[in-house]
Amino acid sequence: MRNQESADAALGTALRLDTLSADLAAALAALADDLRQPDGRVAQSRRLVEAALADGQPHYGLNTGFGALKSERIAPADVEQLQTNLIRSHACGVGEPVPRDLTRRMLALKAYALGLGVSGASPAVVAGLLALLDHDLIPVVPQQGSLGASGDLAPLAHLALVLIGEGEVWGESGPVPAADALRQSGIEPVALGAKDGLALINGTQFMLTYAVEVVQRARRLATTADVLAAMTVEATRGSARPFDARVAAVRPHPGHAQTAQAVRRLLDGSEIGPSHAACGRVQDPYSVRCVPQVHGASRDALTYVAGVVETELNSVTDNPLVFDVEGTPDIVSAGNFHGQPLALALDTAAIAVAEWASISERRTYLLVDGADGLPPFLAQASGLQSGFMIPQYAAAALVSENKTLCHPASVDSIPSSRGQEDHVSMGAWGARKALRVVENAERVLAVEALCAAQALDFRRPLRAGRGVEAAFDALRQSVAFRTDDAAFQPDLEAAAQLVRSGRLADAAEAEVGPLP
């Protein structure tokens, strides 16, 4: 049997999370070159589909109906109409549109997956996807409607509609008809052949696009959470002892050791730590003392999630799959479209990220509660001023919201298609809510950043560790010390942007070197 090579060799570039943009650009350039070759991977795969159609046998999705209609044979004259009908009938997504940048990634990942040469899609279809990317014609795709099982059917159908000159794309001021945008760009709609429609909508690219966003932003949060924990250790005059390397060595979870090392380096050079060495405090609260265990567990969970996502990036999630057996097509109907691997990983990611927010809010509470001599609510004139009282409320509200969002989507399943699709992953909802958890966590950590910086100002003239001071300075470039009550929203937004972009962590690393 002559099966297809592994994905990392297929287009010359394996997709990695750390370098995804560059890898994807290189892979799509290789795909464009493949499409120009008469014996390219896409062309060879397509010839296998055409050979299968000629054998007179039923092949799911090529000359049969779909789902529960799998036994319905389709006449040769109707095969192309079947694929167009499939796209139109499945484009029934609802709700707010997917953000434009995420849809662009989804479009690129769909082109990449079809280019691996196991789907049998027509070269014209793959070239059409690349043309949309080249002309920045990004489809408008509703967020809701996928069960995350037989592929992300509804959202991918909206993506595919644009190829046939239907649906909408993003214009300068909002959605515009795809037909008009294609005409203005000189792009002809694609005539779908056998298998094309099914290849376009079977796949996990909607879930995968969100999963990439979740992991990339969560990785930034992992380091930022450690930076802010170190900042709060200093601001509350907490102990550095729980971050001793020997503690991690006797319970050797990798994430524990990484967080402990990060905090030790961030605290290096501190004047605050030695100033209270003989204070007599025996232990800090869990939210300070157990940072390595809590942050570390989330780090380890994210490592698992990232591995799943990276595997999925380099996978073929179509159905049926088209294999070459010594020049003879072997059309295998299976379940690579099922989103369960991503669904479980995304639920795990949501829980891991929510824990960073949960423990962060508890540290914020310590800061506003007047820990170790800090003024109540970090106000210069408490009573007259409310200070940072209500930002802690906002953090608590977001943490509570995350608790609801962390109910796993993957434990649910609703049968569809007259029972043919009788177990689904619900990974699409898991993906959407995982990103919501990340967004909430970014804002919760932003509240801690504001409170910890305010508290550090009350510890002056003593200075914190070098890494903490660098992060503090980066925050103070955008947000000033608060001397009186004023609307918090501008400061909250500025701090959230610093957390989201990773600039606080970047500033600390510029001072102490790369953190784990």
Side-chain angles (χ1 to χ4, degrees), residues 269-512:
S270 172
E271 297 174 352
I272 296 175
S275 75
H276 61 89
C279 67
R281 188 193 304 176
V282 177
Q283 289 182 336
D284 293 318
Y286 284 4
S287 60
V288 174
R289 179 162 39 115
C290 297
V291 162
Q293 291 79 11
V294 177
H295 285 203
S298 289
R299 278 180 172 272
D300 289 340
L302 189 60
T303 297
Y304 149 69
V305 175
V308 171
V309 173
E310 200 158 90
T311 296
E312 194 79 353
L313 282 169
N314 294 286
S315 296
V316 178
T317 54
D318 188 8
N319 180 62
L321 301 178
V322 181
F323 295 101
D324 183 344
V325 182
E326 298 178 353
T328 301
D330 188 12
I331 311 297
V332 180
S333 185
N336 270 12
F337 51 69
H338 203 290
Q340 196 71 9
L342 284 176
L344 290 173
L346 284 159
D347 284 341
T348 301
I351 293 168
V353 172
E355 282 301 289
W356 281 319
S358 179
I359 196 170
S360 171
E361 184 278 327
R362 289 293 80 198
R363 293 193 298 263
T364 292
Y365 188 87
L366 292 177
L367 291 163
V368 301
D369 194 39
D372 206 335
L374 291 171
F377 304 111
L378 303 171
Q380 283 198 313
S382 59
L384 175 63
Q385 300 170 0
S386 293
F388 286 74
M389 179 190 297
I390 306 305
Q392 183 267 328
Y393 285 30
L398 293 173
V399 167
S400 181
E401 184 175 301
N402 278 354
K403 292 174 184 178
T404 302
L405 290 171
C406 281
H407 177 84
S410 58
V411 301
D412 187 26
S413 178
I414 298 177
S416 57
S417 193
R418 294 170 62 186
Q420 175 70 9
E421 297 164 8
D422 56 353
H423 182 277
V424 299
S425 76
M426 296 299 181
W429 167 227
R432 289 171 45 236
K433 68 186 185 67
L435 184 54
R436 179 73 174 272
V437 169
V438 170
E439 293 167 347
N440 286 346
E442 290 167 346
R443 295 188 179 280
V444 172
L445 267 65
V447 173
E448 183 183 7
L450 293 176
C451 292
Q454 183 84 356
L456 284 176
D457 271 320
F458 284 114
R459 299 301 189 194
R460 296 306 192 205
L462 296 177
R463 294 180 65 79
R466 292 186 298 111
V468 170
E469 286 290 338
F472 170 88
D473 290 343
L475 179 68
R476 281 288 175 255
Q477 290 175 16
S478 299
V479 180
F481 174 77
R482 186 166 284 256
T483 59
D484 203 349
D485 282 345
F488 261 103
Q489 199 278 333
D491 287 356
L492 288 169
E493 188 54 43
Q497 180 55 34
L498 289 171
V499 170
R500 189 178 305 118
S501 65
R503 283 170 54 196
L504 294 180
D506 291 344
E509 289 184 314
E511 179 64 31
V512 302

Side-chain angles (χ1 to χ4, degrees), residues 80-395:
E80 293 182 4
Q81 187 62 49
L82 171 72
Q83 300 298 317
T84 300
N85 288 349
L86 177 69
I87 299 301
R88 288 171 174 161
S89 65
H90 285 55
C92 57
V94 297
E96 293 297 313
V98 177
R100 191 181 188 281
D101 57 332
L102 294 189
T103 307
R104 183 178 178 84
R105 179 187 295 155
M106 181 164 49
L107 185 62
L109 291 175
K110 171 52 72 175
Y112 176 82
L114 296 183
L116 294 177
V118 194
S119 296
S122 302
V125 164
V126 183
L129 295 174
L130 295 182
L132 294 181
L133 289 166
D134 288 343
H135 289 82
D136 202 30
L137 298 178
I138 308 304
V140 177
V141 177
Q143 291 186 16
Q144 295 170 273
S146 173
L147 298 176
S150 190
D152 286 313
L153 297 175
L156 290 176
H158 284 275
L159 198 78
L161 266 183
V162 174
L163 275 182
I164 63 174
E166 301 179 18
E168 295 179 316
V169 299
W170 288 108
E172 291 184 2
S173 57
V176 299
D180 295 342
L182 292 177
R183 185 169 53 253
Q184 291 170 8
S185 298
I187 299 175
E188 290 292 327
V190 176
L192 301 180
K195 180 64 165 61
D196 285 340
L198 195 57
L200 284 164
I201 68 172
N202 263 194
T204 60
Q205 284 76 36
F206 175 88
M207 286 176 275
L208 182 57
T209 289
Y210 274 80
V212 168
E213 187 75 5
V214 166
V215 171
Q216 290 181 337
R217 287 168 70 166
R219 282 176 160 177
R220 290 195 289 272
L221 272 182
T223 305
T224 301
D226 290 348
V227 170
L228 295 179
M231 190 179 289
T232 297
V233 168
E234 295 280 56
T236 59
R237 299 206 295 192
S239 173
R241 298 277 287 171
F243 305 95
D244 192 311
R246 295 170 298 178
V247 176
V250 296
R251 195 188 188 192
H253 294 290
H256 177 162
Q258 291 168 344
T259 288
Q261 180 190 12
V263 174
R264 289 196 307 272
R265 289 170 57 190
L266 290 160
L267 297 179
D268 184 58
S270 172
E271 297 174 352
I272 296 175
S275 75
H276 61 89
C279 67
R281 188 193 304 176
V282 177
Q283 289 182 336
D284 293 318
Y286 284 4
S287 60
V288 174
R289 179 162 39 115
C290 297
V291 162
Q293 291 79 11
V294 177
H295 285 203
S298 289
R299 278 180 172 272
D300 289 340
L302 189 60
T303 297
Y304 149 69
V305 175
V308 171
V309 173
E310 200 158 90
T311 296
E312 194 79 353
L313 282 169
N314 294 286
S315 296
V316 178
T317 54
D318 188 8
N319 180 62
L321 301 178
V322 181
F323 295 101
D324 183 344
V325 182
E326 298 178 353
T328 301
D330 188 12
I331 311 297
V332 180
S333 185
N336 270 12
F337 51 69
H338 203 290
Q340 196 71 9
L342 284 176
L344 290 173
L346 284 159
D347 284 341
T348 301
I351 293 168
V353 172
E355 282 301 289
W356 281 319
S358 179
I359 196 170
S360 171
E361 184 278 327
R362 289 293 80 198
R363 293 193 298 263
T364 292
Y365 188 87
L366 292 177
L367 291 163
V368 301
D369 194 39
D372 206 335
L374 291 171
F377 304 111
L378 303 171
Q380 283 198 313
S382 59
L384 175 63
Q385 300 170 0
S386 293
F388 286 74
M389 179 190 297
I390 306 305
Q392 183 267 328
Y393 285 30

Side-chain angles (χ1 to χ4, degrees), residues 58-66 69-74 82-83:
H59 296 287
Y60 177 76
L62 277 67
N63 54 11
T64 72
F66 309 106
L69 301 175
K70 61 187 182 299
S71 298
E72 299 287 339
R73 287 293 297 272
I74 306 300
L82 171 72
Q83 300 298 317

